[in-house]
Amino acid sequence: MKLGWVGLGNMGVPISMNLLKAGYSVTVFNRTASKTTELVAAGAVQAKSLEELIQENDVIFTMVSDDEAVKDLYFSNKLLEIAKPGQIFIDMSTVSPATSKEIYTAAKDKGIGFIDAPVSGSVAPAKEGKLLVLAGGEEETYNKVKKLFEPIGKMSIYLGESGSGSNAKLAINLLLGITVQGIAESVLFAEQQGIKLADMLTIINESAVGTAISKMKTPAILEDEYPAAFALKHMAKDLRLAKETGELNAIGNSAHHTYQEALANQLGDLDVMAVIKELRS
Ligand code: NA7
């Protein structure tokens, strides 16, 4: 199987690198061409255009920012028009289930396979090939490509019809957004009461609510530096999509509100844990 990869952002680079390292032929394309350097140095082929990438490959992955970017690619940039029947597209971006279904339907009309396969996990698990791949679409199509998820994730889960992967991704990121805000609130409360930051983080991490995410974010909170492992703007987007897709209750609504405010206050390019800066302000 020859693979094409479109979208070399924070996540696209390490994930496509793992496919390359697993021995697949990977052709890459990114809107900003300079971001292909690392992949090309590691042996990937650089496509001159999206058209070339699609024509030369069997399975094409896309991983871009949001619904607008995905629709831009599939519709405005005519990915589906260029594609040939029998090809399979896998979108790993986090988008609304409605967008996943819209692309699936347009693809199906042309005899093209489409799987929504967003991932749970940020840059570190992406580098280690330990993401959780959440897949929706036709099971027959999923079965044809599921082997490709092995170098990417510790597990891939087939969840059902098109849009199921996107729905599951919104659900898990709702929990993530709430959890990160919860860590921030606990730390800030302790700080107000004169408890040392390092002590409180030790307590959280050693307690029953200490989690992989609290441990992962501890150095950032201690240093008060938040380079993006998972950009806050993406969490703000995911909570907005969750609110638009289903019903949120009090905690979900509070998280939605906080992250939108953080985005408005220019914290979007920092890591999701920078929500603590929003709550401090
Ligand atoms: P990043 O690091 O913000 O990267 C975003 C990527 O999306 C990057 O390659 C962008 O290209 C690309 N992009 C954005 N808009 C477009 C349009 N309109 N057309 C083509 N390409 C576009 O995101 P992550 O890698 O952290 O996350 C990717 C997804 O996974 C996202 O949905 C997260 O929520 C989860 P650029 O380099 O700017 O030219």
Side-chain angles (χ1 to χ4, degrees), residues 8-11 30-32 35 64-65 69 72 94 234 237:
L8 293 167
N10 289 335
M11 295 296 284
N30 194 60
R31 182 180 61 176
T32 307
K35 290 195 193 163
V64 292
S65 325
D72 244 20
T94 303
H234 291 319
K237 171 207 34 146

Side-chain angles (χ1 to χ4, degrees), residues 45-264:
V45 178
Q46 180 161 17
K48 287 187 194 72
S49 63
L50 275 172
E51 196 163 5
E52 183 186 291
L53 179 132
I54 293 166
Q55 280 165 353
E56 300 288 318
N57 294 287
D58 309 304
V59 176
I60 288 103
F61 289 84
T62 52
M63 191 165 201
V64 292
S65 325
D66 51 20
D67 289 60
E68 203 187 332
V70 169
K71 285 185 181 181
D72 244 20
L73 277 179
Y74 282 88
F75 299 121
S76 309
N77 286 304
K78 303 189 169 62
L79 246 67
L80 292 179
E81 234 174 78
I82 305 163
K84 295 173 294 240
Q87 280 186 305
I88 297 175
F89 285 71
I90 301 173
D91 183 37
M92 303 197 100
S93 323
T94 303
V95 294
S96 74
T99 293
S100 301
K101 282 184 205 156
E102 189 182 339
I103 299 169
Y104 162 80
T105 306
K108 191 177 167 66
D109 285 348
K110 279 203 65 184
I112 297 158
F114 180 77
I115 297 287
D116 46 300
V119 294
S120 178
S122 61
V123 173
K127 283 186 181 159
E128 291 162 12
K130 289 189 178 156
L131 295 165
L132 194 52
V133 181
L134 313 174
E138 283 177 20
E139 193 162 12
E140 199 187 331
T141 312
Y142 170 77
N143 285 336
K144 284 184 191 158
V145 295
K146 67 180 179 192
K147 214 176 149 30
L148 300 174
F149 298 134
E150 285 169 15
I152 294 174
K154 58 181 173 188
M155 184 192 269
S156 79
I157 309 182
Y158 174 70
L159 294 149
E161 64 175 16
S162 175
S164 306
S166 295
N167 266 316
K169 174 66 193 271
L170 296 186
I172 190 64
N173 272 18
L174 174 60
L175 180 58
L176 179 65
I178 290 168
T179 305
V180 170
Q181 181 173 337
I183 295 167
E185 292 215 19
S186 170
V187 162
L188 290 176
F189 176 81
E191 202 175 65
Q192 284 161 19
Q193 310 312 317
I195 307 288
K196 283 193 199 113
L197 195 57
D199 287 343
M200 191 60 221
L201 285 162
T202 302
I203 294 166
I204 293 174
N205 290 331
E206 295 301 324
S207 75
V209 289
T211 56
I213 193 75
S214 64
K215 289 171 191 149
M216 203 185 289
K217 299 303 177 192
T218 289
I221 301 171
L222 284 173
E223 286 155 29
D224 203 25
E225 294 283 345
Y226 306 97
F230 175 52
L232 189 146
K233 64 184 172 194
H234 291 319
M235 178 56 82
K237 171 207 34 146
D238 297 350
L239 293 173
R240 175 178 53 77
L241 292 176
K243 196 172 168 63
E244 286 166 7
T245 302
E247 246 175 66
L248 300 185
N249 287 309
I251 304 178
N253 275 317
S254 161
H256 171 264
H257 176 76
T258 308
Y259 287 95
Q260 305 313 315
E261 291 286 301
L263 190 62

